[in-house]
Amino acid sequence: MTVSLYADAIAELRTLFAELDRNPDLFQTFDVRLELAASGSLVVYETKRRKGQTDSLYYGRPGADDANRQISQAAAFAAIDRFFALGQFIALTGEGGQALDTQYPHCAVNFSYRKKGHPAARSMLMVFVGFNDEADAAAYVAKSENPAAFISRRPYTSAKAYEWK
């Protein structure tokens, strides 16, 4: 089975994420929640703007047995930006109950926005797995027992996950 690779989409998402983090006033509305699970830790970057009001929350958990604690916006951004800087990505369909392999970083992306002056909003809801390169991604897919768990055709749209719409 051929699995779709997402390095190009992540590069676009990384640029958009950096723009939102550094210049939120360029956006009319946004509702962003990024959850990065890597090496047993969790980092969450959550921000929302509606009707000119912005609410944000940034927190993390250093280990599975630790409690969540608030972290700085810069720390949350840096962790997620490092994930986006990896070499290759695949996306999960949300079907078939694929268990997450904790040896690989995963990032759940729920990103909706509308830039000022643009007529329509865009949104994405996906879970990405990050790899050093395409060979690592292929090895990960090859050892999986559930090939239906991986997106194989782009653009992807389902009830549980979708690319930009």
Short mmCIF file of all heavy atoms in Angstrom, two decimals, residues 35-74:
data_model
loop_
_atom_site.label_atom_id
_atom_site.label_comp_id
_atom_site.label_asym_id
_atom_site.label_seq_id
_atom_site.Cartn_x
_atom_site.Cartn_y
_atom_site.Cartn_z
N GLU A 35 -1.55 19.43 19.63
CA GLU A 35 -1.14 18.56 20.73
C GLU A 35 -0.01 17.68 20.24
O GLU A 35 -0.21 16.83 19.37
CB GLU A 35 -2.29 17.68 21.19
CG GLU A 35 -3.45 18.43 21.76
CD GLU A 35 -4.57 17.51 22.22
OE1 GLU A 35 -4.28 16.35 22.60
OE2 GLU A 35 -5.72 17.95 22.19
N LEU A 36 1.18 17.88 20.80
CA LEU A 36 2.37 17.12 20.41
C LEU A 36 2.70 16.11 21.50
O LEU A 36 2.93 16.48 22.65
CB LEU A 36 3.55 18.07 20.20
CG LEU A 36 4.90 17.42 19.95
CD1 LEU A 36 4.88 16.61 18.65
CD2 LEU A 36 5.99 18.47 19.91
N ALA A 37 2.72 14.84 21.12
CA ALA A 37 3.13 13.77 22.02
C ALA A 37 4.46 13.23 21.50
O ALA A 37 4.54 12.76 20.35
CB ALA A 37 2.09 12.66 22.06
N ALA A 38 5.51 13.35 22.32
CA ALA A 38 6.83 12.90 21.90
C ALA A 38 7.63 12.45 23.12
O ALA A 38 7.66 13.16 24.13
CB ALA A 38 7.57 14.03 21.18
N SER A 39 8.25 11.31 23.01
CA SER A 39 9.12 10.77 24.07
C SER A 39 8.42 10.74 25.43
O SER A 39 9.03 11.07 26.45
CB SER A 39 10.41 11.58 24.16
OG SER A 39 11.09 11.57 22.93
N GLY A 40 7.16 10.42 25.45
CA GLY A 40 6.42 10.33 26.70
C GLY A 40 5.92 11.65 27.25
O GLY A 40 5.23 11.69 28.26
N SER A 41 6.27 12.74 26.60
CA SER A 41 5.81 14.05 27.07
C SER A 41 4.69 14.57 26.17
O SER A 41 4.44 14.03 25.10
CB SER A 41 6.97 15.05 27.09
OG SER A 41 7.43 15.29 25.78
N LEU A 42 4.04 15.61 26.64
CA LEU A 42 2.94 16.22 25.90
C LEU A 42 3.10 17.73 25.95
O LEU A 42 3.43 18.30 27.00
CB LEU A 42 1.60 15.85 26.54
CG LEU A 42 0.35 16.52 25.97
CD1 LEU A 42 0.02 15.95 24.60
CD2 LEU A 42 -0.83 16.33 26.91
N VAL A 43 2.90 18.38 24.81
CA VAL A 43 2.90 19.84 24.73
C VAL A 43 1.63 20.24 23.99
O VAL A 43 1.33 19.71 22.92
CB VAL A 43 4.13 20.38 23.98
CG1 VAL A 43 4.02 21.88 23.76
CG2 VAL A 43 5.41 20.04 24.74
N VAL A 44 0.89 21.19 24.57
CA VAL A 44 -0.35 21.67 23.95
C VAL A 44 -0.25 23.18 23.74
O VAL A 44 0.08 23.92 24.66
CB VAL A 44 -1.58 21.33 24.81
CG1 VAL A 44 -2.85 21.90 24.19
CG2 VAL A 44 -1.70 19.83 25.00
N TYR A 45 -0.55 23.60 22.53
CA TYR A 45 -0.59 25.01 22.14
C TYR A 45 -2.03 25.27 21.72
O TYR A 45 -2.50 24.71 20.73
CB TYR A 45 0.37 25.25 20.98
CG TYR A 45 0.48 26.67 20.50
CD1 TYR A 45 1.64 27.39 20.75
CD2 TYR A 45 -0.52 27.29 19.76
CE1 TYR A 45 1.79 28.70 20.28
CE2 TYR A 45 -0.40 28.58 19.32
CZ TYR A 45 0.77 29.29 19.57
OH TYR A 45 0.91 30.58 19.12
N GLU A 46 -2.73 26.10 22.48
CA GLU A 46 -4.14 26.34 22.20
C GLU A 46 -4.40 27.84 22.24
O GLU A 46 -4.08 28.52 23.21
CB GLU A 46 -4.97 25.63 23.27
CG GLU A 46 -6.44 25.62 23.00
CD GLU A 46 -7.19 24.73 23.99
OE1 GLU A 46 -6.57 24.05 24.82
OE2 GLU A 46 -8.42 24.75 23.90
N THR A 47 -4.99 28.35 21.17
CA THR A 47 -5.34 29.76 21.11
C THR A 47 -6.57 29.94 20.24
O THR A 47 -6.78 29.20 19.27
CB THR A 47 -4.15 30.62 20.61
OG1 THR A 47 -4.48 32.00 20.70
CG2 THR A 47 -3.76 30.28 19.18
N LYS A 48 -7.38 30.93 20.61
CA LYS A 48 -8.64 31.15 19.90
C LYS A 48 -8.94 32.65 19.88
O LYS A 48 -8.78 33.33 20.89
CB LYS A 48 -9.76 30.42 20.63
CG LYS A 48 -11.14 30.61 20.02
CD LYS A 48 -12.23 30.02 20.88
CE LYS A 48 -12.21 28.53 20.78
NZ LYS A 48 -13.40 27.90 21.40
N ARG A 49 -9.39 33.14 18.74
CA ARG A 49 -9.86 34.52 18.64
C ARG A 49 -11.24 34.52 18.02
O ARG A 49 -11.46 34.02 16.94
CB ARG A 49 -8.94 35.37 17.78
CG ARG A 49 -9.55 36.79 17.58
CD ARG A 49 -8.71 37.70 16.74
NE ARG A 49 -7.59 38.12 17.55
CZ ARG A 49 -6.49 38.65 17.05
NH1 ARG A 49 -6.35 38.81 15.76
NH2 ARG A 49 -5.50 39.00 17.83
N ARG A 50 -12.16 35.13 18.75
CA ARG A 50 -13.54 35.32 18.29
C ARG A 50 -13.98 36.69 18.73
O ARG A 50 -13.75 37.09 19.88
CB ARG A 50 -14.48 34.28 18.91
CG ARG A 50 -14.23 32.87 18.46
CD ARG A 50 -14.81 32.62 17.07
NE ARG A 50 -14.63 31.26 16.66
CZ ARG A 50 -13.81 30.88 15.69
NH1 ARG A 50 -13.09 31.76 15.05
NH2 ARG A 50 -13.71 29.63 15.35
N LYS A 51 -14.61 37.41 17.83
CA LYS A 51 -15.15 38.74 18.13
C LYS A 51 -14.10 39.66 18.76
O LYS A 51 -14.38 40.41 19.69
CB LYS A 51 -16.38 38.63 19.03
CG LYS A 51 -17.50 37.85 18.38
CD LYS A 51 -18.72 37.81 19.27
CE LYS A 51 -19.80 37.01 18.58
NZ LYS A 51 -21.02 36.93 19.36
N GLY A 52 -12.87 39.57 18.27
CA GLY A 52 -11.80 40.45 18.72
C GLY A 52 -11.15 40.05 20.03
O GLY A 52 -10.18 40.68 20.46
N GLN A 53 -11.64 39.02 20.68
CA GLN A 53 -11.08 38.56 21.95
C GLN A 53 -10.24 37.31 21.72
O GLN A 53 -10.68 36.38 21.04
CB GLN A 53 -12.20 38.23 22.94
CG GLN A 53 -13.06 39.41 23.31
CD GLN A 53 -12.29 40.47 24.09
OE1 GLN A 53 -11.53 40.14 24.99
NE2 GLN A 53 -12.47 41.71 23.73
N THR A 54 -9.03 37.30 22.30
CA THR A 54 -8.14 36.16 22.16
C THR A 54 -7.95 35.47 23.51
O THR A 54 -7.66 36.14 24.51
CB THR A 54 -6.77 36.60 21.60
OG1 THR A 54 -6.96 37.24 20.34
CG2 THR A 54 -5.84 35.41 21.44
N ASP A 55 -8.13 34.18 23.52
CA ASP A 55 -7.87 33.35 24.71
C ASP A 55 -6.82 32.33 24.32
O ASP A 55 -6.92 31.70 23.26
CB ASP A 55 -9.14 32.62 25.15
CG ASP A 55 -10.19 33.56 25.70
OD1 ASP A 55 -9.83 34.45 26.48
OD2 ASP A 55 -11.37 33.39 25.33
N SER A 56 -5.84 32.13 25.19
CA SER A 56 -4.77 31.19 24.90
C SER A 56 -4.41 30.38 26.13
O SER A 56 -4.53 30.86 27.26
CB SER A 56 -3.52 31.93 24.41
OG SER A 56 -3.80 32.67 23.25
N LEU A 57 -3.92 29.17 25.89
CA LEU A 57 -3.48 28.29 26.96
C LEU A 57 -2.36 27.43 26.39
O LEU A 57 -2.50 26.85 25.31
CB LEU A 57 -4.64 27.41 27.43
CG LEU A 57 -4.35 26.41 28.54
CD1 LEU A 57 -3.94 27.15 29.82
CD2 LEU A 57 -5.58 25.56 28.81
N TYR A 58 -1.25 27.37 27.13
CA TYR A 58 -0.09 26.59 26.71
C TYR A 58 0.31 25.74 27.90
O TYR A 58 0.56 26.26 28.97
CB TYR A 58 1.06 27.50 26.30
CG TYR A 58 0.61 28.63 25.41
CD1 TYR A 58 0.39 29.90 25.93
CD2 TYR A 58 0.36 28.42 24.05
CE1 TYR A 58 -0.06 30.93 25.12
CE2 TYR A 58 -0.08 29.45 23.25
CZ TYR A 58 -0.29 30.70 23.79
OH TYR A 58 -0.74 31.73 22.99
N TYR A 59 0.33 24.43 27.72
CA TYR A 59 0.70 23.57 28.84
C TYR A 59 1.40 22.32 28.34
O TYR A 59 1.37 22.00 27.16
CB TYR A 59 -0.51 23.22 29.71
CG TYR A 59 -1.61 22.44 29.04
CD1 TYR A 59 -1.64 21.06 29.09
CD2 TYR A 59 -2.64 23.10 28.36
CE1 TYR A 59 -2.66 20.34 28.49
CE2 TYR A 59 -3.66 22.39 27.77
CZ TYR A 59 -3.67 21.01 27.84
OH TYR A 59 -4.68 20.31 27.24
N GLY A 60 2.01 21.64 29.28
CA GLY A 60 2.72 20.43 28.94
C GLY A 60 2.79 19.48 30.11
O GLY A 60 2.46 19.83 31.24
N ARG A 61 3.24 18.29 29.78
CA ARG A 61 3.44 17.25 30.79
C ARG A 61 4.74 16.55 30.42
O ARG A 61 4.85 15.96 29.34
CB ARG A 61 2.26 16.27 30.74
CG ARG A 61 2.31 15.18 31.74
CD ARG A 61 1.07 14.29 31.70
NE ARG A 61 0.90 13.68 30.39
CZ ARG A 61 -0.22 13.72 29.68
NH1 ARG A 61 -1.29 14.34 30.14
NH2 ARG A 61 -0.30 13.12 28.52
N PRO A 62 5.76 16.62 31.30
CA PRO A 62 7.05 16.04 30.95
C PRO A 62 7.05 14.52 30.83
O PRO A 62 7.86 13.96 30.10
CB PRO A 62 7.98 16.49 32.07
CG PRO A 62 7.14 17.08 33.12
CD PRO A 62 5.78 17.31 32.57
N GLY A 63 6.17 13.84 31.50
CA GLY A 63 6.09 12.38 31.42
C GLY A 63 4.66 11.91 31.60
O GLY A 63 3.81 12.65 32.07
N ALA A 64 4.42 10.67 31.24
CA ALA A 64 3.06 10.12 31.30
C ALA A 64 2.48 10.13 32.71
O ALA A 64 1.28 10.27 32.88
CB ALA A 64 3.04 8.71 30.74
N ASP A 65 3.33 10.01 33.72
CA ASP A 65 2.85 9.96 35.10
C ASP A 65 2.84 11.33 35.78
O ASP A 65 2.48 11.43 36.95
CB ASP A 65 3.71 8.99 35.92
CG ASP A 65 3.61 7.57 35.40
OD1 ASP A 65 2.53 7.21 34.85
OD2 ASP A 65 4.59 6.81 35.53
N ASP A 66 3.27 12.35 35.07
CA ASP A 66 3.32 13.70 35.64
C ASP A 66 2.02 14.45 35.39
O ASP A 66 1.24 14.10 34.52
CB ASP A 66 4.49 14.49 35.03
CG ASP A 66 5.84 13.88 35.36
OD1 ASP A 66 6.03 13.47 36.51
OD2 ASP A 66 6.69 13.80 34.45
N ALA A 67 1.82 15.51 36.16
CA ALA A 67 0.64 16.36 36.00
C ALA A 67 0.91 17.43 34.94
O ALA A 67 2.06 17.82 34.72
CB ALA A 67 0.30 17.03 37.33
N ASN A 68 -0.15 17.88 34.29
CA ASN A 68 -0.02 18.99 33.35
C ASN A 68 0.38 20.24 34.10
O ASN A 68 -0.06 20.47 35.21
CB ASN A 68 -1.35 19.25 32.63
CG ASN A 68 -1.70 18.16 31.67
OD1 ASN A 68 -0.86 17.40 31.22
ND2 ASN A 68 -2.98 18.05 31.34
N ARG A 69 1.22 21.06 33.44
CA ARG A 69 1.56 22.36 34.02
C ARG A 69 1.69 23.39 32.91
O ARG A 69 2.05 23.06 31.79
CB ARG A 69 2.79 22.30 34.89
CG ARG A 69 3.96 21.60 34.31
CD ARG A 69 5.05 21.49 35.34
NE ARG A 69 5.58 20.15 35.28
CZ ARG A 69 6.79 19.82 35.57
NH1 ARG A 69 7.62 20.71 36.01
NH2 ARG A 69 7.20 18.59 35.45
N GLN A 70 1.36 24.59 33.26
CA GLN A 70 1.39 25.67 32.29
C GLN A 70 2.83 25.94 31.88
O GLN A 70 3.76 25.89 32.69
CB GLN A 70 0.78 26.93 32.91
CG GLN A 70 0.35 27.92 31.88
CD GLN A 70 -0.61 28.96 32.46
OE1 GLN A 70 -1.05 28.86 33.59
NE2 GLN A 70 -0.91 29.95 31.66
N ILE A 71 3.04 26.21 30.58
CA ILE A 71 4.35 26.57 30.05
C ILE A 71 4.18 27.86 29.26
O ILE A 71 3.06 28.31 28.99
CB ILE A 71 4.95 25.45 29.16
CG1 ILE A 71 4.03 25.14 27.96
CG2 ILE A 71 5.21 24.21 29.98
CD1 ILE A 71 4.62 24.13 26.99
N SER A 72 5.29 28.45 28.88
CA SER A 72 5.23 29.71 28.13
C SER A 72 4.81 29.45 26.69
O SER A 72 4.99 28.35 26.15
CB SER A 72 6.58 30.41 28.16
OG SER A 72 7.52 29.70 27.36
N GLN A 73 4.30 30.49 26.07
CA GLN A 73 3.93 30.42 24.65
C GLN A 73 5.16 30.08 23.83
O GLN A 73 5.10 29.25 22.92
CB GLN A 73 3.34 31.75 24.20
CG GLN A 73 2.98 31.79 22.73
CD GLN A 73 2.36 33.13 22.32
OE1 GLN A 73 2.13 34.00 23.13
NE2 GLN A 73 2.11 33.27 21.04
N ALA A 74 6.30 30.69 24.16
CA ALA A 74 7.54 30.45 23.42
C ALA A 74 7.97 28.99 23.51
O ALA A 74 8.40 28.39 22.52
CB ALA A 74 8.64 31.37 23.93
#
